[in-house]
Amino acid sequence: KSIYKPSNSAGFTFIELVIVIMILGILSSIAIFNNENNVGSFKNNMAVNQIIDDINFAQTVAIAMNDTVTISINVSDNTYTIYKGFNEQEGERSVMADFPNGDNGVVDFLDLSLGDVNIQSANFNGRTELQFLPLGEPSSGGHIIVNETTISVEPRTGKCTYN
């Protein structure tokens, strides 16, 4: 005959439970702190990728429409506007209102929930405009600096790289 007799040492003591809860609290606070740091770099990567995608799309539109497409960067507002068309004599161009991620041709990082994005500078041969000619070739190469990340645009191909 076996008679089940509960042991006095079964289960956890109160001190063991408190220690486990303290360890879990420390680990979770470390995870939350690291997550806040990663969100900033995630937003920065999203902004850099957004700009590169928009540059590539503008170049593709210039080729497809056989027209000039210009990205005009407003450093103080952290926005850029996309224009199509250009007439050397009259200097006319129109806002490309249907540009993806743009609102009437203007891409604003606050509208994209990327508020921590700071376009520090843009320089394309002394201008803040990147212009693609009808065959997709940029009128000049240059760079855009976003939150300490430099996006370079090659002068002949328009290829984008970043550091």
Side-chain angles (χ1 to χ4, degrees), residues 76-96:
S76 60
D77 288 342
N78 295 315
T79 63
Y80 49 91
T81 306
I82 292 76
Y83 297 96
K84 62 182 174 180
F86 184 75
N87 185 325
E88 291 267 349
Q89 291 82 18
E90 300 171 22
E92 291 181 12
R93 63 185 182 185
S94 60
V95 173
M96 193 172 172

Side-chain angles (χ1 to χ4, degrees), residues 41-102:
S41 65
F42 179 72
K43 284 185 177 183
N44 183 59
N45 288 341
M46 281 186 58
V48 168
N49 287 330
Q50 178 68 49
I51 292 171
I52 291 173
D53 288 346
D54 288 347
I55 290 171
N56 291 334
F57 187 74
Q59 184 179 29
T60 302
V61 169
I63 295 168
M65 295 177 63
N66 196 28
D67 202 354
T68 300
V69 175
T70 305
I71 300 174
S72 180
I73 301 163
N74 187 332
V75 175
S76 60
D77 288 342
N78 295 315
T79 63
Y80 49 91
T81 306
I82 292 76
Y83 297 96
K84 62 182 174 180
F86 184 75
N87 185 325
E88 291 267 349
Q89 291 82 18
E90 300 171 22
E92 291 181 12
R93 63 185 182 185
S94 60
V95 173
M96 193 172 172
D98 57 348
F99 195 82
N101 296 316

Side-chain angles (χ1 to χ4, degrees), residues 77-80 101-103 105-114:
D77 288 342
N78 295 315
T79 63
Y80 49 91
N101 296 316
D103 182 18
V106 177
V107 177
D108 186 349
F109 289 109
L110 288 175
D111 291 344
L112 298 174
S113 299
L114 297 173

